[in-house]
Amino acid sequence: EPPAPASGAQAQRTRLRETVAQLRAHIQAMDLEPVPALLASLEHDAQGDAAMRAEVALLRGRYLRIRGQWLAAAGSLKQAFEQAEACGYEIVSARAAVWLVNVVGDVLARRGEGDVWVTVANTKLRALADPELAADLALARGSMALTHADFDAAGPLLDDALQQARAAWGEQHPKVASVHEARGAMALDQGRNKDAAAEFERSLLVRRAAFGEEHPTVADSLANLANVSMALGELDAAEQGYGAAVEMMDATDPGVGTSRAQAILGLAVVAGARGQADPARVHYRDALASMPEGSEQHPTRANILASFAGLESREGDYEGAVRMAQEALAIQEKVFGTEHPNIAVTLNGLGASLQSLERYDEAKRALQRSVDMHRSLEGARSATVAPPLSNLALIEQAQGNLDVARTM
């Protein structure tokens, strides 16, 4: 319960809470069209009620997060936390802290700041003992670890999140589907394609049962299954899955986060794998245009640019490929720091393009850094080491250092 309202304001509080409940339901159901008007009305009507102002700021933060306006979402959630703390509305301050772990630590990939909010959220939850919020926090922590490729931490956290979510909501709740989605993403990153497909199928079943056949999160599950098909080299199935996801997103709500951009990226990769360079370029440009406003430094934009660079390098536009790979690398280093698997992959692509331009010294630096990073993150015998190491050997061969090339 929120702190009691001022004397004589109980009727107004009751009306505000009813509207807040409506707003929360629209957000949870991803029925977003009425949300801006409800937010504006509530912000006006709740001016004299500190507890309700905190709750409205919390919901605005959640809405902005869905829309892909992540910096604004973080600001609104921090405002909710501060206002709730000031008036003693403990459950709202706890929820804001948990959502800040998600937005700041996972989506914006600021792990240090995310860890601070983990500490705050844990402190709040010890006092509240709220099992549903504890499940939300476990998922947020696991997703944050996954974003930063910390699989050792992500695995147990996501296992715990699944157990807690099932205990809190049962098997058929959309939040349980979100945990399956995160577990599937981790399995796919680790090359466990069969496990990934099973997790995404579970997520899809739950979401269809909860929301029907057409819904933005159902589209996300279809795109995730297409990612598995792509990893298995099943281009027809991947194209069909990405196409169905984009069509559903456009029919339900195309302005949700980076989902559409990621699905369009999948179509670009399929076209590129088939040697269809011009259609692939159209998809890459569409993917970049689909990114939310203010997402110039988001990892998804870097993924699109790095993949686009690979296409242009294969098509012989090495200068263009270098420019895009360098932009992708700058984003990734700003977001992830100096070491991350995505950075290592981008460095290999950059090095290969520089190699084609015979800029061998620059290429060697990029490729050696890629080799070292892959070895550090995934082990000396990891298959990921082979591509940059092979490219280094080709440079040594081109420079006449045949004995060195042979040993690589």
Side-chain angles (χ1 to χ4, degrees):
E1 289 296 311
S7 177
Q10 185 59 55
Q12 171 74 349
R13 166 67 66 81
T14 300
R15 288 193 295 272
L16 286 170
R17 295 197 75 187
E18 288 172 353
T19 308
V20 163
Q22 293 171 12
L23 175 59
R24 187 183 301 114
H26 283 297
I27 291 173
Q28 290 181 178
M30 298 282 282
D31 176 23
L32 302 179
E33 186 176 349
V35 170
L38 282 170
L39 280 169
S41 174
L42 274 168
E43 286 169 345
H44 177 269
D45 294 343
Q47 290 181 23
D49 191 327
M52 291 298 97
R53 285 205 318 274
E55 188 130 36
V56 173
L58 177 73
L59 292 172
R60 177 174 282 280
R62 289 182 59 185
Y63 169 73
L64 291 169
R65 187 254 186 236
I66 293 169
R67 283 299 190 195
Q69 299 176 36
W70 301 295
L71 291 174
S76 190
L77 292 169
K78 289 174 184 177
Q79 180 184 23
F81 178 83
E82 292 165 1
Q83 290 178 345
E85 285 285 282
C87 70
Y89 199 175
E90 292 298 323
I91 188 65
V92 168
S93 61
R95 286 173 180 156
V98 169
W99 275 94
L100 281 161
V101 175
N102 171 264
V103 172
V104 175
D106 178 15
V107 179
L108 291 174
R110 300 175 183 170
R111 190 166 190 182
E113 191 177 345
D115 284 337
V116 171
W117 286 109
V118 168
T119 301
V120 174
N122 276 325
T123 302
K124 291 291 176 184
L125 285 176
R126 280 195 292 271
L128 288 170
D130 185 312
E132 294 183 0
L133 204 51
D136 284 341
L137 178 59
L139 174 57
R141 293 181 64 194
S143 297
M144 180 172 72
L146 181 59
T147 291
H148 294 272
D150 185 356
F151 300 123
D152 290 340
L157 284 167
L158 292 176
D159 290 344
D160 183 39
L162 183 59
Q163 182 179 350
Q164 291 196 52
R166 284 171 169 168
W169 294 294
E171 293 280 353
Q172 301 302 312
H173 194 280
K175 289 193 177 181
V176 176
S178 295
V179 182
H180 284 304
E181 183 180 62
R183 286 162 58 90
M186 184 176 71
L188 190 61
D189 284 348
Q190 293 178 313
R192 296 184 288 112
N193 297 326
K194 185 177 179 180
D195 292 339
E199 295 286 353
F200 293 144
E201 287 283 3
R202 292 188 191 103
S203 177
L204 179 61
L205 287 172
V206 173
R207 286 170 169 172
R208 277 179 168 159
F211 299 122
E213 288 295 318
E214 290 198 356
H215 189 268
T217 61
V218 173
D220 285 338
S221 292
L222 292 175
N224 284 328
L225 284 166
N227 289 336
V228 177
S229 297
M230 192 69 213
L232 294 171
E234 299 169 353
L235 298 185
D236 289 345
E239 184 178 34
Q240 182 178 357
Y242 291 132
V246 172
E247 185 177 344
M248 192 177 297
M249 289 171 193
D250 288 346
T252 54
D253 191 343
V256 176
T258 61
S259 295
R260 188 180 191 277
Q262 290 172 327
I264 295 287
L265 170 60
L267 289 172
V269 174
V270 170
R274 287 177 166 155
Q276 300 168 348
D278 287 339
R281 289 186 181 101
V282 171
H283 287 313
Y284 278 120
R285 294 184 184 113
D286 189 7
L288 289 169
S290 296
M291 289 293 291
E293 184 179 351
S295 59
E296 291 80 7
Q297 299 298 314
H298 194 271
T300 298
R301 177 177 171 82
N303 291 342
I304 298 168
L305 288 167
S307 184
F308 200 171
L311 173 78
E312 294 298 7
S313 185
R314 293 191 298 274
E315 292 299 309
D317 181 7
Y318 304 119
E319 295 284 0
V322 166
R323 285 194 298 272
M324 283 190 282
Q326 288 174 333
E327 184 180 349
L329 185 63
I331 295 170
Q332 290 168 334
E333 289 179 331
K334 183 173 182 177
V335 171
F336 296 124
T338 56
E339 289 205 356
H340 190 277
N342 290 3
I343 293 176
V345 171
T346 301
L347 283 166
N348 178 54
L350 174 61
S353 296
L354 290 167
Q355 173 187 345
S356 297
L357 291 169
E358 299 185 2
R359 292 161 60 176
Y360 291 139
D361 289 344
E362 295 172 78
K364 280 184 176 180
R365 286 195 293 271
L367 292 168
Q368 188 61 58
R369 189 178 164 205
S370 178
V371 168
D372 294 343
M373 200 176 298
H374 278 306
R375 283 173 171 165
S376 171
L377 293 170
E378 293 139 1
R381 304 297 297 174
S382 170
T384 59
V385 179
L389 197 60
S390 175
N391 286 329
L392 276 172
L394 290 171
I395 293 176
E396 296 294 347
Q397 178 184 349
Q399 293 182 315
N401 303 321
L402 303 186
D403 290 339
V404 175
R406 224 176 259 115
T407 63
M408 291 180 167

